Amino acid sequence: MRIGINLPHYGALTGPGDITEVSRAVEAMGYDSLWTGDRLLSPVDPSDRYPGGDGTMPAEMDVYLDPLTALTFAAASTTRLRLGTSTLNAPWYPPVLLARTLTTLDVLSEGRLDVGLGLGWLRDEYTAAGVPWSERGERLDEILDLLDTIWGGDVVAHEGARYRVPESSIRPKPVQRPRPPILLGGFTEPALSRVARRADGWLAVGMPLPYLHGLWEKIKNEADGYGREPGSLRMVQRLNPRLTAAPVDPAQVPARGTLDQIAAYALKAQADEVFIDLTLTVRTRSEMLGIAGEFLELMRAG
């Protein structure tokens, strides 16, 4: 199992020193990857309830750096760590510009990018981005088509329902060929089917283990039905707990719990990769690095 950690880019730790020092430190510890999420705004009167806890968006999400810029900054301070998004809300971005930014990050990191894409859950963010909330799944499918076209061909052209690209040369291409790995999030039937049909893996979150494993089996079975090799797919799981000093009821894990409880859950989840987001708990860089070291030791000890 590969072990990752959330790059400090929202909440209390959003300074340049937070990004560079944490990136260097966790690479030296032996972590495998750094991850960012995507948040555009924090509405005063939200259109939708936050999908966790009591439905209120965590206050830490009021401050949020751009995820790809933050990863590029981290890439300059590291040499080995994989750099991923979980998730980047693809429909907010014009796909040609998105392809250029992702390609730039893959080139500058010398091929360390994992492209994790999703749809988000907050209609207010679509309103602010000037993108329709309706048919967002179909929009994502066309974006995926266009990314493959841009990254694959010498001459790029696209005529779709939402986007048009005239015959053009779009360079450079990503270092990773034929493209960086694409991981997709989501838990609805169409989202799971999209993973099975065309992704390199699934971006999961913390949930009861029987439910998690059931969704993963569904993806793999459907991938087999599409003639794909289920074993080639990866499950990458994000955990963003509020850590507690004393053990909690197991039913609250992994949303809350001690670090030992969170690590035990992560091992039982049997993901190909798990990364922990400590933003809901830590307020200082030293606190984050101390907990990061403990978590890595627990995970490596098995």
PDB file of all heavy atoms in Angstrom, residues 41-68:
ATOM      1  N   LEU A  41     -15.278  28.370  -3.235  1.00  0.00           N
ATOM      2  CA  LEU A  41     -15.829  29.384  -2.336  1.00  0.00           C
ATOM      3  C   LEU A  41     -16.552  28.698  -1.176  1.00  0.00           C
ATOM      4  O   LEU A  41     -16.789  27.491  -1.179  1.00  0.00           O
ATOM      5  CB  LEU A  41     -16.776  30.320  -3.091  1.00  0.00           C
ATOM      6  CG  LEU A  41     -17.805  29.715  -4.054  1.00  0.00           C
ATOM      7  CD1 LEU A  41     -18.978  29.119  -3.302  1.00  0.00           C
ATOM      8  CD2 LEU A  41     -18.300  30.758  -5.041  1.00  0.00           C
ATOM      9  N   SER A  42     -16.881  29.497  -0.188  1.00  0.00           N
ATOM     10  CA  SER A  42     -17.626  29.026   0.975  1.00  0.00           C
ATOM     11  C   SER A  42     -18.858  29.914   1.134  1.00  0.00           C
ATOM     12  O   SER A  42     -18.776  31.014   1.672  1.00  0.00           O
ATOM     13  CB  SER A  42     -16.753  29.096   2.229  1.00  0.00           C
ATOM     14  OG  SER A  42     -17.462  28.650   3.362  1.00  0.00           O
ATOM     15  N   PRO A  43     -20.019  29.477   0.630  1.00  0.00           N
ATOM     16  CA  PRO A  43     -21.195  30.348   0.617  1.00  0.00           C
ATOM     17  C   PRO A  43     -21.703  30.686   2.013  1.00  0.00           C
ATOM     18  O   PRO A  43     -21.643  29.855   2.931  1.00  0.00           O
ATOM     19  CB  PRO A  43     -22.238  29.515  -0.139  1.00  0.00           C
ATOM     20  CG  PRO A  43     -21.493  28.396  -0.776  1.00  0.00           C
ATOM     21  CD  PRO A  43     -20.291  28.158   0.055  1.00  0.00           C
ATOM     22  N   VAL A  44     -22.211  31.904   2.155  1.00  0.00           N
ATOM     23  CA  VAL A  44     -22.847  32.306   3.407  1.00  0.00           C
ATOM     24  C   VAL A  44     -24.147  31.521   3.600  1.00  0.00           C
ATOM     25  O   VAL A  44     -24.479  31.076   4.700  1.00  0.00           O
ATOM     26  CB  VAL A  44     -23.110  33.821   3.400  1.00  0.00           C
ATOM     27  CG1 VAL A  44     -23.932  34.234   4.625  1.00  0.00           C
ATOM     28  CG2 VAL A  44     -21.798  34.594   3.345  1.00  0.00           C
ATOM     29  N   ASP A  45     -24.895  31.346   2.518  1.00  0.00           N
ATOM     30  CA  ASP A  45     -26.151  30.596   2.547  1.00  0.00           C
ATOM     31  C   ASP A  45     -26.071  29.526   1.459  1.00  0.00           C
ATOM     32  O   ASP A  45     -26.551  29.735   0.338  1.00  0.00           O
ATOM     33  CB  ASP A  45     -27.332  31.539   2.305  1.00  0.00           C
ATOM     34  CG  ASP A  45     -28.672  30.839   2.399  1.00  0.00           C
ATOM     35  OD1 ASP A  45     -28.727  29.728   2.982  1.00  0.00           O
ATOM     36  OD2 ASP A  45     -29.666  31.394   1.895  1.00  0.00           O
ATOM     37  N   PRO A  46     -25.436  28.381   1.741  1.00  0.00           N
ATOM     38  CA  PRO A  46     -25.126  27.403   0.700  1.00  0.00           C
ATOM     39  C   PRO A  46     -26.360  26.779   0.061  1.00  0.00           C
ATOM     40  O   PRO A  46     -27.392  26.581   0.699  1.00  0.00           O
ATOM     41  CB  PRO A  46     -24.289  26.351   1.431  1.00  0.00           C
ATOM     42  CG  PRO A  46     -24.618  26.512   2.863  1.00  0.00           C
ATOM     43  CD  PRO A  46     -24.951  27.953   3.056  1.00  0.00           C
ATOM     44  N   SER A  47     -26.204  26.466  -1.224  1.00  0.00           N
ATOM     45  CA  SER A  47     -27.269  25.819  -1.983  1.00  0.00           C
ATOM     46  C   SER A  47     -27.443  24.361  -1.595  1.00  0.00           C
ATOM     47  O   SER A  47     -28.516  23.788  -1.788  1.00  0.00           O
ATOM     48  CB  SER A  47     -26.955  25.911  -3.481  1.00  0.00           C
ATOM     49  OG  SER A  47     -25.691  25.325  -3.756  1.00  0.00           O
ATOM     50  N   ASP A  48     -26.390  23.747  -1.074  1.00  0.00           N
ATOM     51  CA  ASP A  48     -26.404  22.315  -0.763  1.00  0.00           C
ATOM     52  C   ASP A  48     -25.692  22.087   0.562  1.00  0.00           C
ATOM     53  O   ASP A  48     -24.765  22.822   0.922  1.00  0.00           O
ATOM     54  CB  ASP A  48     -25.703  21.518  -1.866  1.00  0.00           C
ATOM     55  CG  ASP A  48     -26.317  21.731  -3.233  1.00  0.00           C
ATOM     56  OD1 ASP A  48     -27.325  21.082  -3.528  1.00  0.00           O
ATOM     57  OD2 ASP A  48     -25.788  22.572  -3.985  1.00  0.00           O
ATOM     58  N   ARG A  49     -26.104  21.046   1.258  1.00  0.00           N
ATOM     59  CA  ARG A  49     -25.477  20.693   2.521  1.00  0.00           C
ATOM     60  C   ARG A  49     -24.147  19.969   2.264  1.00  0.00           C
ATOM     61  O   ARG A  49     -24.028  19.202   1.305  1.00  0.00           O
ATOM     62  CB  ARG A  49     -26.402  19.797   3.356  1.00  0.00           C
ATOM     63  CG  ARG A  49     -27.657  20.523   3.830  1.00  0.00           C
ATOM     64  CD  ARG A  49     -28.601  19.585   4.546  1.00  0.00           C
ATOM     65  NE  ARG A  49     -28.021  19.007   5.756  1.00  0.00           N
ATOM     66  CZ  ARG A  49     -27.941  19.632   6.926  1.00  0.00           C
ATOM     67  NH1 ARG A  49     -28.409  20.873   7.035  1.00  0.00           N
ATOM     68  NH2 ARG A  49     -27.433  19.037   7.981  1.00  0.00           N
ATOM     69  N   TYR A  50     -23.193  20.220   3.104  1.00  0.00           N
ATOM     70  CA  TYR A  50     -21.899  19.537   3.018  1.00  0.00           C
ATOM     71  C   TYR A  50     -22.109  18.036   3.229  1.00  0.00           C
ATOM     72  O   TYR A  50     -22.827  17.629   4.148  1.00  0.00           O
ATOM     73  CB  TYR A  50     -20.957  20.105   4.082  1.00  0.00           C
ATOM     74  CG  TYR A  50     -19.584  19.484   4.089  1.00  0.00           C
ATOM     75  CD1 TYR A  50     -18.660  19.779   3.087  1.00  0.00           C
ATOM     76  CD2 TYR A  50     -19.205  18.611   5.102  1.00  0.00           C
ATOM     77  CE1 TYR A  50     -17.396  19.219   3.097  1.00  0.00           C
ATOM     78  CE2 TYR A  50     -17.934  18.047   5.118  1.00  0.00           C
ATOM     79  CZ  TYR A  50     -17.039  18.352   4.119  1.00  0.00           C
ATOM     80  OH  TYR A  50     -15.786  17.788   4.129  1.00  0.00           O
ATOM     81  N   PRO A  51     -21.500  17.189   2.381  1.00  0.00           N
ATOM     82  CA  PRO A  51     -21.731  15.739   2.472  1.00  0.00           C
ATOM     83  C   PRO A  51     -20.903  15.068   3.560  1.00  0.00           C
ATOM     84  O   PRO A  51     -20.057  14.209   3.303  1.00  0.00           O
ATOM     85  CB  PRO A  51     -21.325  15.248   1.078  1.00  0.00           C
ATOM     86  CG  PRO A  51     -20.283  16.212   0.641  1.00  0.00           C
ATOM     87  CD  PRO A  51     -20.696  17.557   1.201  1.00  0.00           C
ATOM     88  N   GLY A  52     -21.132  15.475   4.805  1.00  0.00           N
ATOM     89  CA  GLY A  52     -20.414  14.888   5.927  1.00  0.00           C
ATOM     90  C   GLY A  52     -20.784  15.608   7.201  1.00  0.00           C
ATOM     91  O   GLY A  52     -21.256  16.752   7.192  1.00  0.00           O
ATOM     92  N   GLY A  53     -20.556  14.954   8.328  1.00  0.00           N
ATOM     93  CA  GLY A  53     -20.844  15.562   9.617  1.00  0.00           C
ATOM     94  C   GLY A  53     -22.292  15.967   9.728  1.00  0.00           C
ATOM     95  O   GLY A  53     -23.205  15.214   9.377  1.00  0.00           O
ATOM     96  N   ASP A  54     -22.519  17.199  10.206  1.00  0.00           N
ATOM     97  CA  ASP A  54     -23.892  17.684  10.361  1.00  0.00           C
ATOM     98  C   ASP A  54     -24.376  18.450   9.136  1.00  0.00           C
ATOM     99  O   ASP A  54     -25.415  19.112   9.173  1.00  0.00           O
ATOM    100  CB  ASP A  54     -24.015  18.568  11.605  1.00  0.00           C
ATOM    101  CG  ASP A  54     -23.175  19.846  11.511  1.00  0.00           C
ATOM    102  OD1 ASP A  54     -22.471  20.037  10.497  1.00  0.00           O
ATOM    103  OD2 ASP A  54     -23.217  20.648  12.466  1.00  0.00           O
ATOM    104  N   GLY A  55     -23.615  18.372   8.034  1.00  0.00           N
ATOM    105  CA  GLY A  55     -24.007  19.059   6.809  1.00  0.00           C
ATOM    106  C   GLY A  55     -23.461  20.461   6.677  1.00  0.00           C
ATOM    107  O   GLY A  55     -23.758  21.145   5.693  1.00  0.00           O
ATOM    108  N   THR A  56     -22.659  20.903   7.657  1.00  0.00           N
ATOM    109  CA  THR A  56     -22.062  22.231   7.608  1.00  0.00           C
ATOM    110  C   THR A  56     -20.633  22.137   7.079  1.00  0.00           C
ATOM    111  O   THR A  56     -19.851  21.311   7.562  1.00  0.00           O
ATOM    112  CB  THR A  56     -22.039  22.872   9.014  1.00  0.00           C
ATOM    113  OG1 THR A  56     -23.370  22.927   9.520  1.00  0.00           O
ATOM    114  CG2 THR A  56     -21.440  24.261   8.965  1.00  0.00           C
ATOM    115  N   MET A  57     -20.290  22.966   6.112  1.00  0.00           N
ATOM    116  CA  MET A  57     -18.933  22.951   5.579  1.00  0.00           C
ATOM    117  C   MET A  57     -17.940  23.330   6.677  1.00  0.00           C
ATOM    118  O   MET A  57     -18.147  24.315   7.386  1.00  0.00           O
ATOM    119  CB  MET A  57     -18.805  23.923   4.397  1.00  0.00           C
ATOM    120  CG  MET A  57     -17.449  23.862   3.711  1.00  0.00           C
ATOM    121  SD  MET A  57     -17.260  25.104   2.401  1.00  0.00           S
ATOM    122  CE  MET A  57     -18.464  24.543   1.213  1.00  0.00           C
ATOM    123  N   PRO A  58     -16.857  22.563   6.839  1.00  0.00           N
ATOM    124  CA  PRO A  58     -15.868  22.902   7.863  1.00  0.00           C
ATOM    125  C   PRO A  58     -15.311  24.307   7.672  1.00  0.00           C
ATOM    126  O   PRO A  58     -15.062  24.748   6.543  1.00  0.00           O
ATOM    127  CB  PRO A  58     -14.780  21.840   7.651  1.00  0.00           C
ATOM    128  CG  PRO A  58     -15.493  20.688   7.034  1.00  0.00           C
ATOM    129  CD  PRO A  58     -16.532  21.300   6.149  1.00  0.00           C
ATOM    130  N   ALA A  59     -15.117  25.000   8.794  1.00  0.00           N
ATOM    131  CA  ALA A  59     -14.606  26.374   8.737  1.00  0.00           C
ATOM    132  C   ALA A  59     -13.241  26.445   8.081  1.00  0.00           C
ATOM    133  O   ALA A  59     -12.880  27.477   7.489  1.00  0.00           O
ATOM    134  CB  ALA A  59     -14.528  26.943  10.158  1.00  0.00           C
ATOM    135  N   GLU A  60     -12.471  25.352   8.146  1.00  0.00           N
ATOM    136  CA  GLU A  60     -11.139  25.335   7.531  1.00  0.00           C
ATOM    137  C   GLU A  60     -11.197  25.561   6.023  1.00  0.00           C
ATOM    138  O   GLU A  60     -10.211  25.979   5.410  1.00  0.00           O
ATOM    139  CB  GLU A  60     -10.439  24.003   7.835  1.00  0.00           C
ATOM    140  CG  GLU A  60     -10.041  23.801   9.279  1.00  0.00           C
ATOM    141  CD  GLU A  60     -11.192  23.315  10.159  1.00  0.00           C
ATOM    142  OE1 GLU A  60     -12.326  23.129   9.650  1.00  0.00           O
ATOM    143  OE2 GLU A  60     -10.961  23.129  11.366  1.00  0.00           O
ATOM    144  N   MET A  61     -12.344  25.311   5.416  1.00  0.00           N
ATOM    145  CA  MET A  61     -12.471  25.456   3.967  1.00  0.00           C
ATOM    146  C   MET A  61     -12.743  26.886   3.534  1.00  0.00           C
ATOM    147  O   MET A  61     -12.906  27.157   2.347  1.00  0.00           O
ATOM    148  CB  MET A  61     -13.554  24.521   3.441  1.00  0.00           C
ATOM    149  CG  MET A  61     -13.181  23.062   3.556  1.00  0.00           C
ATOM    150  SD  MET A  61     -14.394  21.959   2.789  1.00  0.00           S
ATOM    151  CE  MET A  61     -13.607  20.371   3.059  1.00  0.00           C
ATOM    152  N   ASP A  62     -12.781  27.811   4.482  1.00  0.00           N
ATOM    153  CA  ASP A  62     -12.940  29.225   4.122  1.00  0.00           C
ATOM    154  C   ASP A  62     -11.698  29.778   3.430  1.00  0.00           C
ATOM    155  O   ASP A  62     -11.784  30.796   2.724  1.00  0.00           O
ATOM    156  CB  ASP A  62     -13.225  30.062   5.378  1.00  0.00           C
ATOM    157  CG  ASP A  62     -14.660  29.930   5.860  1.00  0.00           C
ATOM    158  OD1 ASP A  62     -15.479  29.329   5.130  1.00  0.00           O
ATOM    159  OD2 ASP A  62     -14.963  30.420   6.959  1.00  0.00           O
ATOM    160  N   VAL A  63     -10.554  29.158   3.641  1.00  0.00           N
ATOM    161  CA  VAL A  63      -9.287  29.598   3.044  1.00  0.00           C
ATOM    162  C   VAL A  63      -8.755  28.458   2.186  1.00  0.00           C
ATOM    163  O   VAL A  63      -8.471  27.376   2.698  1.00  0.00           O
ATOM    164  CB  VAL A  63      -8.250  29.970   4.123  1.00  0.00           C
ATOM    165  CG1 VAL A  63      -6.942  30.408   3.477  1.00  0.00           C
ATOM    166  CG2 VAL A  63      -8.789  31.058   5.036  1.00  0.00           C
ATOM    167  N   TYR A  64      -8.615  28.701   0.871  1.00  0.00           N
ATOM    168  CA  TYR A  64      -8.283  27.599  -0.041  1.00  0.00           C
ATOM    169  C   TYR A  64      -7.424  28.104  -1.187  1.00  0.00           C
ATOM    170  O   TYR A  64      -7.858  28.946  -1.969  1.00  0.00           O
ATOM    171  CB  TYR A  64      -9.575  26.989  -0.601  1.00  0.00           C
ATOM    172  CG  TYR A  64      -9.607  25.478  -0.605  1.00  0.00           C
ATOM    173  CD1 TYR A  64     -10.374  24.790   0.320  1.00  0.00           C
ATOM    174  CD2 TYR A  64      -8.865  24.740  -1.531  1.00  0.00           C
ATOM    175  CE1 TYR A  64     -10.428  23.404   0.327  1.00  0.00           C
ATOM    176  CE2 TYR A  64      -8.913  23.356  -1.538  1.00  0.00           C
ATOM    177  CZ  TYR A  64      -9.691  22.693  -0.598  1.00  0.00           C
ATOM    178  OH  TYR A  64      -9.727  21.332  -0.598  1.00  0.00           O
ATOM    179  N   LEU A  65      -6.189  27.604  -1.304  1.00  0.00           N
ATOM    180  CA  LEU A  65      -5.333  27.935  -2.436  1.00  0.00           C
ATOM    181  C   LEU A  65      -5.702  27.110  -3.655  1.00  0.00           C
ATOM    182  O   LEU A  65      -6.290  26.025  -3.543  1.00  0.00           O
ATOM    183  CB  LEU A  65      -3.867  27.670  -2.084  1.00  0.00           C
ATOM    184  CG  LEU A  65      -3.245  28.480  -0.948  1.00  0.00           C
ATOM    185  CD1 LEU A  65      -1.801  28.049  -0.744  1.00  0.00           C
ATOM    186  CD2 LEU A  65      -3.335  29.969  -1.214  1.00  0.00           C
ATOM    187  N   ASP A  66      -5.322  27.598  -4.830  1.00  0.00           N
ATOM    188  CA  ASP A  66      -5.522  26.842  -6.060  1.00  0.00           C
ATOM    189  C   ASP A  66      -4.739  25.532  -5.989  1.00  0.00           C
ATOM    190  O   ASP A  66      -3.538  25.529  -5.697  1.00  0.00           O
ATOM    191  CB  ASP A  66      -5.045  27.663  -7.257  1.00  0.00           C
ATOM    192  CG  ASP A  66      -5.136  26.874  -8.545  1.00  0.00           C
ATOM    193  OD1 ASP A  66      -6.247  26.679  -9.047  1.00  0.00           O
ATOM    194  OD2 ASP A  66      -4.073  26.408  -9.030  1.00  0.00           O
ATOM    195  N   PRO A  67      -5.388  24.396  -6.242  1.00  0.00           N
ATOM    196  CA  PRO A  67      -4.725  23.104  -6.032  1.00  0.00           C
ATOM    197  C   PRO A  67      -3.553  22.825  -6.972  1.00  0.00           C
ATOM    198  O   PRO A  67      -2.542  22.253  -6.551  1.00  0.00           O
ATOM    199  CB  PRO A  67      -5.853  22.089  -6.244  1.00  0.00           C
ATOM    200  CG  PRO A  67      -6.886  22.811  -7.047  1.00  0.00           C
ATOM    201  CD  PRO A  67      -6.798  24.237  -6.635  1.00  0.00           C
ATOM    202  N   LEU A  68      -3.663  23.212  -8.235  1.00  0.00           N
ATOM    203  CA  LEU A  68      -2.589  22.903  -9.177  1.00  0.00           C
ATOM    204  C   LEU A  68      -1.395  23.830  -9.007  1.00  0.00           C
ATOM    205  O   LEU A  68      -0.241  23.412  -9.167  1.00  0.00           O
ATOM    206  CB  LEU A  68      -3.122  22.943 -10.613  1.00  0.00           C
ATOM    207  CG  LEU A  68      -4.171  21.884 -10.938  1.00  0.00           C
ATOM    208  CD1 LEU A  68      -4.652  22.025 -12.378  1.00  0.00           C
ATOM    209  CD2 LEU A  68      -3.631  20.476 -10.702  1.00  0.00           C
TER     210      LEU A  68
END
